Amino acid sequence: MLVTTKKMLNDAKNGGYAVGAFNAENAEMVWGIVHAAEELNAPVIIQTTSSTLKYFPPVYFVHMAKAAAESTGMPVALHLDHGANFELAEECIDSGYTSVMIDGSALPFEENIRVTQKVRDYADNFGIPVESELGKIGGKEDDTESGESQYTDPGQAAEFVNRTGISSLAVAIGTAHGIYAKKPVLDFNRTTLIKKTVSVPLVMHGASGLSDEALREGVEKGMNKINFATELRIAFTAAIKAHMAEHPNDFDPKKYLGPARIAVKELVKAKIQVCGSAGKA
Ligand code: 13P
Ligand code: ZN
Ligand code: NA
């Protein structure tokens, strides 16, 4: 059974750890993520971006995630990552997603609040928690170009959370989507300031390319959900390339996707360990 992110993230907040949220594009990645969680007895979040849902509609991921959760017995949440608009959040909730993010970070403050409220009102009918972003996390993730980052203003965070009624808050503290061209300057002090004003769990995006040390500091400073996408895509594709270089005549997808899903599983296990969520299922 799929669970929502509500209790998962509140438990993480109370326990001082983070739940890993991993982006999937296909069945093999869903398998790798959930089997990593099973091996470490960890709660886990599978998430899909708006552009991934143009590749496969939400209902595909609902059934894949349910199958993975049922076959392992793990608490698995299925989350819409960077929901582009109200309609997509609505479609995901109607299809069986157990958590959604609405990303109004490109909008002015009042408009971001308005679209977040609209999604929250709809989600409330089904008991589905909503994540929203204040500030702007920069970089590029698949088709989602977020450009320059804009740090979250701790002075606005409480008003944003109170007026939107969201369950978790994505904050911009210097992380970016994709792999970093140069070492990012992370402003964890800002996390501490934000935590003083809001009580909902905080979400760190753009975790691919961060050192384990930086990730651990993020957890220590109070990030309760950490998003990984790019590193999974790289690991998956690198395993396929390596397999095909060695066996150029293979044509059975199981032959080259098998090692790819194992590569995802191993990477996810390492990230779960750093997040501190192993053994928390
Ligand atoms: P990365 O591209 O750094 O993996 O970021 C993932 C993310 O924030 C998904 O929302
Ligand atoms: Zn993100
Ligand atoms: Na990143």
Side-chain angles (χ1 to χ4, degrees):
M1 243 220 356
L2 296 180
V3 300
T4 74
T5 50
K6 182 95 184 180
K7 181 172 181 295
M8 219 183 236
L9 296 184
N10 283 329
D11 286 351
K13 183 169 175 268
N14 295 331
Y17 60 92
V19 177
F22 301 98
N23 287 63
E25 341 280 341
N26 55 36
E28 282 76 9
M29 294 175 87
V30 169
W31 183 97
I33 295 162
V34 177
H35 283 264
E38 182 187 33
E39 288 185 20
L40 295 176
N41 196 36
V44 79
I45 299 166
I46 298 169
Q47 54 187 19
T48 59
T49 60
S50 298
S51 55
T52 299
L53 295 176
K54 288 185 192 143
Y55 183 68
F56 278 125
V59 66
Y60 273 74
F61 285 101
V62 169
H63 288 279
M64 288 193 276
K66 273 188 186 162
E70 274 165 28
S71 69
T72 58
M74 284 296 108
V76 175
L78 180 62
H79 175 79
L80 168 65
D81 184 34
H82 294 283
N85 50 54
F86 170 79
E87 288 73 22
L88 184 60
E90 183 183 39
E91 187 189 349
C92 284
I93 291 168
D94 291 350
S95 303
Y97 272 54
T98 57
S99 181
V100 293
M101 174 186 186
I102 177 72
D103 184 353
S105 63
L107 302 170
F109 186 67
E110 288 297 329
E111 282 175 50
N112 188 0
I113 287 187
R114 249 194 316 275
V115 70
T116 303
Q117 283 170 337
K118 190 171 175 196
V119 171
R120 194 276 332 270
D121 281 346
Y122 188 74
D124 270 357
N125 297 321
F126 307 89
I128 299 299
V130 176
E131 172 185 335
S132 187
E133 177 174 329
L134 179 64
K136 191 132 68 86
I137 295 145
K140 186 175 185 334
E141 189 197 1
D142 55 44
D143 296 344
T144 316
E145 175 89 63
S146 39
E148 281 293 289
S149 46
Q150 224 174 303
Y151 285 53
T152 305
D153 177 355
Q156 284 185 325
E159 183 185 352
F160 188 75
V161 170
N162 292 336
R163 287 178 60 196
T164 56
I166 49 173
S167 300
S168 59
L169 177 68
V171 293
I173 58 145
T175 64
H177 295 116
I179 295 297
Y180 298 90
K182 59 178 198 298
K183 198 168 183 264
V185 181
L186 304 180
D187 184 2
F188 283 120
N189 192 31
R190 197 172 284 268
T191 314
T192 308
L193 292 175
I194 297 167
K195 272 192 90 69
K196 283 194 177 131
T197 68
V198 307
S199 61
V200 295
L202 301 184
V203 182
M204 180 155 89
H205 283 244
S208 289
L210 296 183
S211 65
D212 286 355
E213 192 191 0
L215 292 172
R216 273 194 204 99
E217 190 172 358
V219 176
E220 241 164 67
K221 293 283 158 57
M223 299 293 196
N224 300 123
K225 171 176 180 271
I226 302 188
N227 287 5
F228 301 90
T230 306
E231 280 188 47
L232 273 71
R233 294 179 179 134
I234 291 172
F236 186 80
T237 305
I240 294 172
K241 284 182 183 164
H243 180 89
M244 291 314 291
E246 237 183 275
H247 311 277
N249 298 323
D250 273 359
F251 56 82
D252 177 348
K254 296 189 285 297
K255 294 270 197 259
Y256 55 86
L257 295 178
R261 71 179 188 173
I262 300 283
V264 168
K265 184 180 71 149
E266 293 307 318
L267 177 71
V268 169
K269 276 170 71 179
K271 301 303 183 190
I272 286 174
Q273 297 283 16
V274 180
C275 284
S277 57
K280 308 288 188 188

